[in-house]
Amino acid sequence: EIYAALPADWKLFLEYKAFEPNFYSTTVGDWGQSYSYVNKLGEKAYTLVDLGHHLPNANIEQIVSLLLMEGKLGGFHFNDSKYGDDDLTTGSVKPYQLFLIFNELVEGMDARGMNHARDLGWMIDASHNVKDPLEDLLQSVEALMIAYAQALSVDSQALKAAQAGNDVVLAQEILQHAFRTDVRPLVAEARLQLAGALNPVKLFRSLEIRNRLVEERGYQQASGL
């Protein structure tokens, strides 16, 4: 019913989760179930990948690759996790996994002629009770930019040749070389070109934006707005 009522230019994203609110079985328990449902719904329905919605040690980058190949990857809820759906700051626990996901994204989107900025839904789904949520957002965006830049720096032709030759050692060397490369100067240069801050968290704190927002919202609440 929801799909049938969608406007022509809307998409439906279907998440999956292996646990919560039940213990071991949910209606959409994994990416395969979501993929099956969105295939039945139609061309406006896609699978949404939340990085915390997997059983431990799941190969999320492979899931992303498969959904890309099938044309059914809708987008992401970016976060990070240690034990389950922890909704931690993106890239704070598993930065290498985030890089591998972006490596599949860059290759898959290029192969399909997709627009990196518009064809997928890029969302951050994090939750904290010990951090300023805006500072967490700034840190998450920084991690995403770094992982994206690292993925763009992968020697894709050399990697394809290593894969074709079944040279696992060389493939690892190529990927880890890109991951270990400090791309922060490139990210900083991109920020400068967009008139952005070199150190977003430092600027956020120095301008006391949190305090200003608290004052503004407190005033609005007191005014009954």
Side-chain angles (χ1 to χ4, degrees), residues 66-100:
L66 288 167
L67 290 171
L68 269 171
M69 286 191 291
E70 296 298 326
K72 280 298 183 181
L73 177 64
F76 291 89
H77 277 176
F78 285 111
N79 48 49
D80 214 331
S81 66
K82 182 69 174 179
Y83 301 105
D85 190 21
D86 304 328
D87 283 344
L88 302 179
T89 309
T90 307
S92 61
V93 179
K94 302 170 185 173
Y96 189 59
Q97 181 185 68
L98 185 63
F99 157 72
L100 292 175

Side-chain angles (χ1 to χ4, degrees), residues 114-189:
M114 299 172 69
N115 185 306
H116 288 210
R118 298 187 183 92
D119 283 342
L120 299 177
W122 307 96
M123 294 167 276
I124 294 173
D125 180 13
S127 176
H128 287 283
N129 57 9
V130 294
K131 295 174 70 175
D132 182 310
L134 289 177
E135 290 186 346
D136 170 73
L137 184 64
L138 293 173
Q139 290 181 317
S140 292
V141 170
E142 177 81 3
L144 293 170
M145 293 176 70
I146 288 174
Y148 188 17
Q150 289 170 328
L152 289 172
S153 73
V154 171
D155 188 339
S156 58
Q157 295 302 317
L159 180 59
K160 289 178 181 177
Q163 291 169 331
N166 198 31
D167 192 337
V168 180
V169 170
L170 181 56
Q172 177 183 331
E173 290 290 303
I174 293 167
L175 286 171
Q176 291 189 340
H177 173 74
F179 175 69
R180 291 165 178 161
T181 299
D182 188 358
V183 297
R184 288 177 296 176
L186 296 175
V187 172
E189 177 63 27

Side-chain angles (χ1 to χ4, degrees), residues 3 12 14-16 26-42 45-47 72:
Y3 184 83
L12 185 149
L14 182 61
E15 261 187 285
Y16 54 90
T26 61
T27 304
V28 190
D30 56 31
W31 72 272
Q33 283 183 289
S34 172
Y35 173 67
S36 174
Y37 296 156
V38 298
N39 262 342
K40 290 179 171 64
L41 284 172
Y46 298 86
T47 292
K72 280 298 183 181

